[in-house]
Amino acid sequence: MKFYLIVAKGSKQGMPIPISVDLFLIGSDKMCQLRKEGLGPKQCALVARDKKVFIRDFGNEQSTLVNGNAIPTGQEWPLHAGDRIGIGSLEFMIQYREHALSQRDLEEWAASCLDQDSQQQLFDDEPDDFRKHSTASAAANAIIDALQRQKGLMVGRLRIGIDHGLTVVRLNDRHLVEESEIAMIKRELCDKLNRPNLRILVDLKNVRRMSSAGVLMIADFHRWLKQWGSVMAICRVRGEIAGMLGTLGVESIPKFRDKREAMAARW
C-alpha cells in the first residue's frame, strides 16, 4: 500500500514523501527512514496493514501527536486521510492516492491537500461591500479577500470559489471515466459542499471525456444537494458531454455557457 506524508510546515512545506513499505520508522537513530536530531532514537512508526495505516509511539520524552492530541504509547493508532501528525518541530499531513503522478503533478496535488484546511474561509459570511473600513489598508484587504473568494481554493480534485453568493466548483480532472476516480470526486463534492441553501455552479470546462458513470454521478450529486435545500447548475459543457447528459436523463439540471450567464439567470 502506498501513501504520502506531506510536509505541513517549515521550509519544505508541501513536499510529498512517498511511503510504500509496511514499516516506516521516524526518529534520530540511523536505522530510521526519516531521521531528525532531537527526536527519540525510535520516536514512532507508521505501519501499513490490510489497506490501512496506523501510527505507533514508542514512549520517548516527546509525545507523538495526531490532530493535536498525544496518542497512547505502545498502541497502534489508526490514521485517516487529512490527519495531521506532529512530532517535535515536524508536522505532516497523511494522504492517499491510488494512481501514480508525475513529480510536478504530485507536488501540485500535495499543495492542494494542504489548501483544504483553509477552505472554511470561503463559506464564512461574505464581506459587506457597503461596510465602512477604518483604514485604507483594511479596505484593500477586503478587496483582496473578495478576489480570493472568486478565484477559489484548490480542494482535492476541485477548485471551489464564491462570487456574489454563487458557489463555483470546477472539476480539475480531464477524464471522468474510471469508477474509482468518479467515486472519489463524488465523495469530495459531498464532503466539501454539505452546507444548507447553497447555489452551486459546477464548471465542466476541463472535462473532455465522461463515461455514463460520470454522468450518473452528476445526477446523484444533484439529487443529494436537494436534501440540503441547495440548487445546482452546470456550465461550459462540451458538446458530446451535453449530449450524454440529455440521453441519460439529466436534462433537468440547468445548463449555461459560462458563469456570467448563470449569475444573471434565475434557477
Side-chain angles (χ1 to χ4, degrees), residues 61-155:
E61 184 176 343
Q62 293 188 86
S63 297
T64 300
L65 308 179
V66 174
N67 298 327
N69 299 310
I71 62 173
T73 299
Q75 296 182 22
E76 290 188 352
W77 193 264
L79 293 174
H80 305 91
D83 281 351
R84 295 269 185 152
I85 301 170
I87 311 166
S89 62
L90 302 177
E91 185 174 328
F92 305 97
M93 173 186 284
I94 185 167
Q95 279 292 354
Y96 305 86
R97 182 159 187 98
E98 297 180 10
H99 300 284
L101 292 174
S102 68
Q103 183 61 30
R104 180 177 178 180
D105 288 342
L106 182 61
E107 290 171 359
E108 290 181 356
W109 168 77
S112 72
C113 290
L114 296 180
D115 276 344
Q116 293 185 31
D117 282 354
S118 58
Q119 67 164 310
Q120 181 61 45
Q121 64 181 295
L122 289 171
F123 295 99
D124 291 340
D125 291 336
E126 292 192 71
D128 183 357
D129 293 335
F130 300 99
R131 185 178 58 207
K132 292 183 178 179
H133 299 283
S134 57
T135 65
S137 175
N141 287 335
I143 294 172
I144 292 171
D145 289 344
L147 291 174
Q148 179 61 49
R149 288 171 182 272
Q150 293 178 26
K151 180 181 178 183
L153 291 174
M154 291 291 294
V155 183

Side-chain angles (χ1 to χ4, degrees), residues 144-246:
I144 292 171
D145 289 344
L147 291 174
Q148 179 61 49
R149 288 171 182 272
Q150 293 178 26
K151 180 181 178 183
L153 291 174
M154 291 291 294
V155 183
R157 289 169 169 78
L158 315 173
R159 179 179 286 278
I160 303 177
I162 292 181
D163 191 357
H164 292 84
L166 183 67
T167 301
V168 183
V169 183
R170 181 183 296 181
L171 305 187
N172 295 325
D173 291 61
R174 292 165 62 89
H175 299 156
L176 295 184
V177 176
E178 295 187 19
E179 292 193 8
S180 59
E181 291 289 313
I182 291 169
M184 196 168 295
I185 291 170
K186 181 182 177 183
R187 189 180 311 120
E188 288 183 349
L189 285 167
C190 294
D191 286 347
K192 310 311 175 188
L193 298 166
N194 57 351
R195 292 170 174 80
N197 304 319
L198 294 179
R199 191 166 174 247
I200 297 171
L201 179 66
V202 178
D203 186 344
L204 298 179
K205 175 188 176 182
N206 294 333
V207 181
R208 298 180 179 274
R209 289 180 55 204
M210 183 183 292
S211 67
S212 58
V215 174
L216 293 175
M217 180 272 288
I218 296 289
D220 288 343
F221 178 61
H222 179 234
R223 286 191 291 269
W224 179 84
L225 284 173
K226 290 181 179 179
Q227 68 181 339
W228 291 91
S230 297
V231 294
M232 170 185 154
I234 55 180
C235 73
R236 297 202 283 188
V237 186
R238 294 178 181 270
E240 60 274 20
I241 296 175
M244 291 183 64
L245 291 171

